[in-house]
Each structure stands twice: as C-alpha cells, then as structure tokens.
Amino acid sequence: MWGRRLRRIAPVAVPVLLGIADAVLVNGLKLALELGVSVVAAAALLLRRRFPLLVFLFTLPGLYIGYIWFAPMIGLYTLAALRPGRKRLGICAVLLIAAHFFPYPISDFELTDYRENTLVLIDACVTSAAPIALGLLVRTRRELASRVEDLTRSLRREDRLLADRVKTTERARLAREMHDVVAHQVSLISLQAGAVQVSTADETARAGARTIRELSVRTLEELRHMVGVLRADGGHTEETGGLAPQPDLEELPRLIEMSALDVTYERGVVAGASGAKTVERAAFRTVQEALTNVRKHAPGARVKVRVDPADGGLRVEIRNGPPDAAATVPALPGGGHGLVGLRERAQSLGGTLEAGATTDGGFVVRAEFPYGTG
C-alpha cells in the first residue's frame, strides 16, 4: 500500500522539492523578493500536468528574478510532453531564453560585453532546448508503446479470427462426414427394420423391428440436431440452444425400456421439478453411456440405475453385476472415450464422476451434479 502511494505521490512532490531546494540554494533566506518568486514558481509545479502552459509562465519570473533553473525547465519539459505544439513550444523557448539571457534588473545589461553575452545566450539556448527534446522523446515513446499495444491487440484479434475460421471449417467438415456417412447407414437400418416389420408374421420379430426402427429414427433426429450444432457459426450455446437435443430425466424410463437389458430403475427425483435442464441432460447421457458399456462389456448382467437427491445436488448411479458367461459378447466398436467425456461433462457443470470395478466382478458409475433452481 505504501509503495503504491509513494509511486503516485513521487512524480508530483519530487519536482516541487527540487524547485524549492534550487530556490533556497541560489537565493538563500535573506533575499525576500527573489526567494518568494522562486518558491511560488516551485509550488506552481503541483499543477503542471493539469495546466502545463500556465505553470510554465508562472515559473518564468522565478528564472528572471530568482535565477532558478529547475522549475522553468521542468515546466517546459511537461509542456513538451503533454502539449507539443510547434508554435507553442517555439514561443515558450524564446520566453525562457529571454528570461535567462536578460539580467535582473534590466539596467545591469551590458550590450557591449559580447563574450559574456554570447556565453549566456548559448547557455540559455541549451537550457531551453534540453527539456523540449526530453519531453518530445518521452511523448514519442509513449505513443510508440501505445501503438505497439494496439498492434499486439490487433494481431491477437486476427489470430482469434483465424482460429475461429479454422474451427468453423473443421466443424463443417465433420458435419458433412456425419451427415453423409452415419446418416446414410442409419437410414438404411431404419428402412430394413421397416421392411422386416411389414413382411414378417412373427409378433416378436415385428416388435423387435419396431424397436429398431424407433431407435433409428431417434438416432437420425439427434444426428440432425448435432449436425446443426456443428454447422452453427462458433457453436456457442446461446446460438445453438434450439438445435441441441434436449433429453432429460423424463425420458430415462423409455431409454431403459429400449436398452434390451435387465435394468432396475429407482428414481427419487421428479424430473423437471427443481433442476436445470442441462443437469438432467447430463444425467441422461451418463445413464445412456453406462448402459452402452454394459451392453458391450457385460452382456447378460443385471443393472441397477438410481437417481436420487444428494446434499442439494443430484446423484446418478449405474451399477451392474458380472456378465453372464453364457451370453454372447457383441462385437461393438469402442474408442475408450465415453467415460472421459462423461467426466468432462460433469466437471464442466461443477460436479464429479467416478467409475470403477466392484468386488463382485461388476462395474459402477457414480456421478453427482449441482441441482439448483434453473
């Protein structure tokens, strides 16, 4: 705190103290007029940043009568750094040279003393040129630093635009691939299931074909939404909220019914009663992925799905037993990214997700989400 105060006060106080010290050293404490004019000139430096021209003019009597240098030079430097007009600086330089060149009182001026007058004139010119040059240099450096900062911001903005353009292009490519490949294959599955449903007389086969067709249609619907999300510029949630699929806890019974697994569903939360839809959607996706993993890695296993409130949040637990040794393991592809994606989704919502094997040879997935009003 003291360091910040010192850095704020020093640029204002130090020039004034230098001006007062200069006045006392040059004039002593006996010359009342010279000392008074010099101290007034030094005190005027308190306002040098707000009124640089007026403060400089106040310092000229101190130079002319009291023979002080610091106050007028600091005033001229401030004027050059803050108000660098050519005519203004030229006139002020001439005034400082005149105040320095002519003695006080003016009757002491000796026109014929050429050598002394030349030396004093050179000294006066240097005294006026040095603060102007330093002030212009400081101002130029500030402007250069400001332009470099603007250029840096512009380059960063261009980099972000380029990254967004590349991202948009890649998203569009992924959308095309998903639409052209996945949608085509799922459409064929739906058509074949529809053909089986119409042609077979076996009621069980008809029910299975109907389920396959419903799953295919739902998959196509979600795929359409996902393609829309990928094609949306930037993919921001607020821009694509209407495109994203919105499954929630109300659809869990239907998901479990169509999973073709031995599932026991225990629900302690009323869907949509007090929670945000994003949390319910995350819970739905967690159950969906867990059931898919059971189907892949533990065919024939019994599954227990439980959704309960927990400490102001929502706990989702999917626990399956060991696989049935007599069941056939389906040759379903897997990339190992399902649980990773679920954990990332939970963390993005401020929740947690744990998954691991159980002592009886089964597997458990447990997730907790904040479930406030939303």
Side-chain angles (χ1 to χ4, degrees), residues 18-64:
L18 288 176
I20 294 176
D22 185 24
V24 174
L25 291 175
V26 172
N27 300 290
L29 300 176
K30 295 181 180 180
L31 301 175
L33 177 62
E34 288 81 353
L35 180 62
V37 173
S38 301
V39 170
V40 170
L45 294 177
L46 290 171
L47 303 175
R48 64 189 180 93
R49 293 184 175 178
R50 182 172 297 183
F51 309 106
L53 178 59
L54 187 61
V55 168
F56 171 73
L57 295 178
F58 264 86
T59 62
L60 290 180
L63 173 63
Y64 179 63

Coordinates of all heavy atoms in Angstrom, one line a residue, residues 18-64:
L18 N 12.5 19.7 -5.6 CA 13.7 20.2 -6.3 C 13.7 21.7 -6.6 O 14.7 22.4 -6.4 CB 13.9 19.4 -7.6 CG 14.3 17.9 -7.5 CD1 14.2 17.3 -8.9 CD2 15.6 17.8 -6.9
G19 N 12.5 22.2 -6.9 CA 12.4 23.6 -7.2 C 12.6 24.4 -5.9 O 13.3 25.5 -6.0
I20 N 12.1 24.0 -4.8 CA 12.3 24.7 -3.5 C 13.8 24.7 -3.1 O 14.4 25.7 -2.7 CB 11.4 24.2 -2.4 CG1 9.9 24.4 -2.8 CG2 11.7 24.8 -1.1 CD1 8.9 23.8 -1.8
A21 N 14.4 23.5 -3.3 CA 15.8 23.4 -2.9 C 16.7 24.3 -3.8 O 17.6 24.9 -3.3 CB 16.3 21.9 -3.0
D22 N 16.3 24.4 -5.1 CA 17.1 25.2 -6.0 C 16.9 26.7 -5.6 O 17.9 27.5 -5.6 CB 16.5 25.0 -7.4 CG 17.3 25.8 -8.5 OD1 18.5 26.1 -8.2 OD2 16.7 26.1 -9.5
A23 N 15.7 27.1 -5.2 CA 15.4 28.5 -4.8 C 16.2 28.8 -3.6 O 16.8 29.9 -3.5 CB 13.9 28.7 -4.6
V24 N 16.3 27.9 -2.6 CA 17.0 28.2 -1.3 C 18.5 28.2 -1.6 O 19.2 29.1 -1.0 CB 16.6 27.2 -0.3 CG1 17.5 27.4 1.0 CG2 15.1 27.3 0.1
L25 N 19.0 27.3 -2.4 CA 20.4 27.3 -2.6 C 20.9 28.5 -3.4 O 22.0 29.0 -3.2 CB 20.8 26.0 -3.4 CG 20.7 24.7 -2.6 CD1 20.9 23.5 -3.5 CD2 21.6 24.7 -1.4
V26 N 20.1 29.0 -4.3 CA 20.5 30.1 -5.2 C 20.4 31.4 -4.4 O 21.3 32.3 -4.5 CB 19.7 30.1 -6.5 CG1 20.0 31.4 -7.3 CG2 20.1 28.9 -7.3
N27 N 19.3 31.6 -3.7 CA 18.9 32.9 -3.2 C 19.1 33.0 -1.7 O 19.1 34.1 -1.1 CB 17.5 33.3 -3.5 CG 17.2 33.4 -5.0 OD1 17.7 34.3 -5.6 ND2 16.5 32.4 -5.5
G28 N 19.3 31.9 -1.0 CA 19.5 31.9 0.5 C 18.1 32.3 1.1 O 17.1 32.2 0.5
L29 N 18.2 32.7 2.3 CA 17.0 33.1 3.1 C 16.9 34.6 3.3 O 15.9 35.0 4.0 CB 17.0 32.3 4.4 CG 17.0 30.8 4.3 CD1 17.0 30.2 5.7 CD2 15.7 30.3 3.6
K30 N 17.7 35.3 2.8 CA 17.8 36.8 3.0 C 17.1 37.6 1.9 O 16.4 38.6 2.2 CB 19.2 37.3 3.2 CG 19.9 36.7 4.4 CD 21.3 37.2 4.5 CE 22.1 36.6 5.7 NZ 23.5 37.1 5.8
L31 N 17.2 37.2 0.7 CA 16.6 37.9 -0.4 C 15.1 37.6 -0.5 O 14.7 36.6 -1.1 CB 17.3 37.6 -1.7 CG 18.8 37.9 -1.7 CD1 19.4 37.4 -3.0 CD2 19.0 39.4 -1.5
A32 N 14.3 38.4 0.1 CA 12.8 38.1 0.2 C 12.1 38.0 -1.1 O 11.4 37.1 -1.4 CB 12.2 39.2 1.1
L33 N 12.3 39.0 -2.0 CA 11.7 39.0 -3.3 C 12.1 37.9 -4.1 O 11.3 37.1 -4.7 CB 11.9 40.4 -4.0 CG 11.3 40.5 -5.4 CD1 9.8 40.4 -5.3 CD2 11.8 41.8 -6.1
E34 N 13.4 37.7 -4.3 CA 13.9 36.6 -5.1 C 13.5 35.2 -4.6 O 13.0 34.4 -5.4 CB 15.4 36.7 -5.2 CG 16.0 37.8 -6.0 CD 16.0 39.1 -5.2 OE1 15.5 39.1 -4.1 OE2 16.6 40.1 -5.8
L35 N 13.6 35.1 -3.3 CA 13.2 33.8 -2.7 C 11.7 33.6 -2.8 O 11.2 32.4 -3.1 CB 13.6 33.7 -1.2 CG 13.2 32.4 -0.5 CD1 13.9 31.2 -1.1 CD2 13.6 32.5 1.0
G36 N 10.9 34.6 -2.6 CA 9.4 34.4 -2.7 C 9.0 34.1 -4.1 O 8.1 33.2 -4.3
V37 N 9.5 34.8 -5.1 CA 9.2 34.5 -6.5 C 9.6 33.1 -6.9 O 8.9 32.3 -7.6 CB 9.8 35.5 -7.4 CG1 9.6 35.1 -8.9 CG2 9.2 36.9 -7.2
S38 N 10.8 32.7 -6.4 CA 11.3 31.3 -6.7 C 10.4 30.2 -6.1 O 10.1 29.2 -6.7 CB 12.7 31.2 -6.3 OG 13.5 32.2 -6.9
V39 N 10.0 30.4 -4.8 CA 9.2 29.4 -4.2 C 7.8 29.3 -4.8 O 7.2 28.2 -5.0 CB 9.0 29.8 -2.7 CG1 8.0 28.9 -2.0 CG2 10.4 29.6 -2.0
V40 N 7.2 30.5 -5.2 CA 5.9 30.4 -5.9 C 6.1 29.6 -7.3 O 5.2 28.9 -7.6 CB 5.4 31.9 -6.2 CG1 4.3 31.9 -7.2 CG2 5.1 32.5 -4.9
A41 N 7.2 29.9 -7.9 CA 7.4 29.1 -9.2 C 7.5 27.6 -8.9 O 7.0 26.8 -9.7 CB 8.7 29.6 -9.9
A42 N 8.2 27.2 -7.8 CA 8.3 25.8 -7.5 C 7.0 25.2 -7.1 O 6.6 24.1 -7.5 CB 9.4 25.6 -6.4
A43 N 6.2 26.0 -6.3 CA 4.9 25.5 -5.9 C 3.9 25.3 -7.0 O 3.1 24.5 -7.0 CB 4.3 26.4 -4.8
A44 N 4.1 26.1 -8.1 CA 3.2 26.0 -9.2 C 3.4 24.7 -9.9 O 2.4 24.3 -10.6 CB 3.5 27.2 -10.2
L45 N 4.5 24.0 -9.7 CA 4.7 22.7 -10.4 C 3.7 21.6 -9.9 O 3.6 20.6 -10.5 CB 6.1 22.2 -10.1 CG 7.2 23.1 -10.7 CD1 8.6 22.5 -10.3 CD2 7.1 23.1 -12.2
L46 N 3.0 21.9 -8.8 CA 2.0 21.0 -8.3 C 0.9 20.8 -9.4 O 0.2 19.7 -9.4 CB 1.4 21.4 -7.0 CG 2.3 21.3 -5.8 CD1 1.6 22.0 -4.6 CD2 2.6 19.9 -5.4
L47 N 0.6 21.8 -10.2 CA -0.4 21.8 -11.2 C 0.1 21.6 -12.6 O -0.6 21.9 -13.6 CB -1.3 23.1 -11.1 CG -1.9 23.3 -9.7 CD1 -2.6 24.7 -9.7 CD2 -2.9 22.2 -9.3
R48 N 1.3 21.2 -12.7 CA 2.0 21.2 -14.1 C 1.3 20.3 -15.1 O 1.3 20.5 -16.3 CB 3.5 20.9 -13.9 CG 3.8 19.5 -13.4 CD 5.2 19.3 -13.1 NE 5.5 18.0 -12.6 CZ 5.9 16.9 -13.4 NH1 6.0 17.1 -14.7 NH2 6.2 15.8 -12.9
R49 N 0.7 19.1 -14.6 CA 0.1 18.2 -15.5 C -1.3 18.7 -15.9 O -1.7 18.3 -17.0 CB 0.0 16.8 -14.9 CG 1.4 16.2 -14.6 CD 1.2 14.8 -14.0 NE 2.5 14.1 -13.9 CZ 2.6 12.9 -13.4 NH1 1.6 12.2 -13.0 NH2 3.8 12.3 -13.3
R50 N -1.9 19.4 -15.1 CA -3.3 19.9 -15.4 C -3.2 21.2 -16.3 O -4.0 21.3 -17.2 CB -4.1 20.1 -14.2 CG -5.5 20.6 -14.4 CD -6.3 20.6 -13.2 NE -6.5 19.2 -12.6 CZ -7.2 19.0 -11.5 NH1 -7.8 20.0 -10.9 NH2 -7.3 17.7 -11.1
F51 N -2.3 22.1 -15.9 CA -2.2 23.4 -16.6 C -0.7 23.6 -17.0 O 0.0 24.4 -16.4 CB -2.7 24.5 -15.8 CG -4.1 24.3 -15.2 CD1 -4.2 24.1 -13.8 CD2 -5.2 24.4 -16.0 CE1 -5.5 23.9 -13.3 CE2 -6.4 24.2 -15.5 CZ -6.6 24.0 -14.1
P52 N -0.2 22.8 -18.0 CA 1.2 22.9 -18.2 C 1.7 24.3 -18.8 O 2.7 24.8 -18.3 CB 1.5 21.8 -19.3 CG 0.1 21.6 -19.9 CD -0.9 21.8 -18.8
L53 N 0.9 24.9 -19.6 CA 1.3 26.2 -20.2 C 1.3 27.3 -19.1 O 2.2 28.1 -19.0 CB 0.4 26.6 -21.3 CG 0.7 27.9 -22.0 CD1 2.1 28.0 -22.5 CD2 -0.3 28.2 -23.1
L54 N 0.2 27.3 -18.3 CA 0.1 28.3 -17.3 C 1.2 28.2 -16.2 O 1.7 29.2 -15.7 CB -1.3 28.2 -16.7 CG -1.7 29.3 -15.7 CD1 -1.7 30.7 -16.3 CD2 -3.1 29.0 -15.1
V55 N 1.5 26.9 -15.9 CA 2.5 26.7 -14.9 C 3.9 27.1 -15.4 O 4.7 27.7 -14.6 CB 2.5 25.2 -14.5 CG1 3.8 24.9 -13.7 CG2 1.3 24.8 -13.7
F56 N 4.1 26.9 -16.6 CA 5.4 27.3 -17.2 C 5.5 28.8 -17.2 O 6.6 29.4 -16.8 CB 5.6 26.8 -18.6 CG 6.7 27.4 -19.4 CD1 8.0 27.0 -19.1 CD2 6.5 28.4 -20.3 CE1 9.1 27.6 -19.7 CE2 7.6 29.0 -21.0 CZ 8.9 28.6 -20.7
L57 N 4.5 29.5 -17.5 CA 4.5 31.0 -17.4 C 4.7 31.5 -16.0 O 5.4 32.5 -15.8 CB 3.2 31.6 -18.0 CG 3.0 31.3 -19.5 CD1 1.7 31.9 -19.9 CD2 4.1 31.9 -20.3
F58 N 4.2 30.8 -15.0 CA 4.4 31.1 -13.6 C 5.9 31.0 -13.2 O 6.3 31.6 -12.2 CB 3.5 30.3 -12.7 CG 2.2 31.0 -12.3 CD1 1.1 31.0 -13.2 CD2 2.1 31.8 -11.2 CE1 -0.1 31.6 -12.8 CE2 1.0 32.5 -10.8 CZ -0.1 32.4 -11.7
T59 N 6.6 30.1 -13.8 CA 8.0 29.8 -13.4 C 8.9 30.8 -14.0 O 10.1 30.9 -13.6 CB 8.4 28.4 -13.9 OG1 8.3 28.3 -15.3 CG2 7.5 27.3 -13.2
L60 N 8.5 31.6 -15.1 CA 9.5 32.5 -15.7 C 9.9 33.6 -14.8 O 11.1 34.0 -14.8 CB 8.8 33.1 -17.0 CG 8.6 32.1 -18.1 CD1 8.0 32.7 -19.3 CD2 10.0 31.5 -18.5
P61 N 9.0 34.2 -14.0 CA 9.5 35.2 -13.0 C 10.6 34.7 -12.1 O 11.5 35.4 -11.7 CB 8.3 35.7 -12.3 CG 7.2 35.4 -13.2 CD 7.6 34.2 -13.9
G62 N 10.4 33.4 -11.7 CA 11.5 32.8 -10.8 C 12.8 32.7 -11.5 O 13.8 32.9 -10.9
L63 N 12.8 32.4 -12.8 CA 14.0 32.4 -13.5 C 14.6 33.8 -13.7 O 15.8 34.0 -13.6 CB 13.8 31.7 -14.9 CG 14.9 31.7 -15.9 CD1 16.1 30.9 -15.3 CD2 14.5 31.1 -17.2
Y64 N 13.8 34.7 -14.0 CA 14.3 36.1 -14.3 C 14.7 36.8 -13.1 O 15.8 37.4 -13.1 CB 13.1 36.9 -15.0 CG 13.5 38.3 -15.4 CD1 14.6 38.5 -16.3 CD2 12.9 39.4 -14.8 CE1 14.9 39.9 -16.6 CE2 13.2 40.7 -15.1 CZ 14.3 40.9 -16.0 OH 14.7 42.2 -16.3

